[in-house]
Amino acid sequence: SQQGEEDPQALSIQEGENATMNCSYKTSINNLQWYRQNSGRGLVHLILIRSNEREKHSGRLRVTLDTSKKSSSLLITASRAADTASYFCATDQGGGSEKLVFGKGTKLTVNP
Amino acid sequence: ETGVTQTPRHLVMGMTNKKSLKCEQHLGHNAMYWYKQSAKKPLELMFVYNFKEQTENNSVPSRFSPECPNSSHLFLHLHTLQPEDSALYLCASSQDGTRSSTDTQYFGPGTRLTVL
């Protein structure tokens, strides 16, 4: 069953702008991960945030987690054309399940 | 790039064919995964192997048959597939399959499968 759901489904911005993508989930989680996928390629892990963390940074990436709202956001600052990709959140299903469940993703296009 | 390779990268097969997808990881991981990615659908976990033992079969039809001869190699044997099985099949590995939610998964580039 689908756990994480990204919003928006597609996002188009200009180079230099910030891009914000959101992920909502249904059940309590232990961790939430964000992955990136270039067109027709495999996924690449970006960042993991634990349920007891509220914010995490990695380079131009900033991830927040609000467990009360069951949501997370991924912010890419000063976007570049090379950031064009699909971005997925992945969560465990809670209840002791260790399976990682992915959302449908947000397709980000950064125009030069 | 990520230490996980998949062959072939593209495969076109008829519904009566038998073919196999191969995945190899060079990361020393103990867990390997098969995922199916169809257009406009979430990534679907198919199988998980941990230390060569299958630990997850996500209600996958028997026309998909996985094989894990060792921790570095994973195969997906395909037989009498349907057109709706056309998708990108992704292989991934991680250090420990019993901690999927915390382990980083490293993905291969995928095999684009078309069933005619």
Side-chain angles (χ1 to χ4, degrees), chain A residues 19-108:
Chain A
T20 300
M21 289 159 273
N22 303 296
C23 170
S24 58
Y25 55 91
K26 297 185 177 70
T27 62
S28 296
I29 60 171
N30 298 309
N31 309 282
L32 185 144
Q33 302 186 38
W34 284 92
Y35 284 79
R36 162 202 167 117
Q37 183 181 32
N38 286 70
S39 181
R41 304 284 297 179
L43 280 71
V44 175
H45 180 260
L46 295 176
I47 200 163
L48 179 151
I49 186 164
R50 301 186 189 282
S51 59
N52 61 355
E53 297 176 308
R54 292 295 167 259
E55 189 170 310
K56 207 160 180 181
H57 297 255
S58 177
R60 293 184 295 112
L61 306 180
R62 174 179 164 242
V63 169
T64 62
L65 180 63
D66 187 335
T67 53
S68 66
K69 295 181 180 178
K70 292 187 170 60
S71 68
S72 172
S73 68
L74 170 66
L75 168 69
I76 303 175
T77 59
S79 64
R80 305 166 182 168
D83 294 327
T84 295
S86 291
Y87 292 82
F88 298 86
C89 67
T91 61
D92 60 280
Q93 291 182 298
S97 171
E98 281 291 327
K99 276 191 339 184
L100 206 57
V101 180
F102 289 80
K104 291 183 184 179
T106 291
K107 186 173 172 61
L108 172 67

Side-chain angles (χ1 to χ4, degrees), chain B residues 2-15:
Chain B
T2 63
V4 181
T5 58
Q6 288 186 245
T7 55
R9 294 294 309 278
H10 300 271
L11 178 61
V12 179
M13 60 186 289
M15 289 190 286

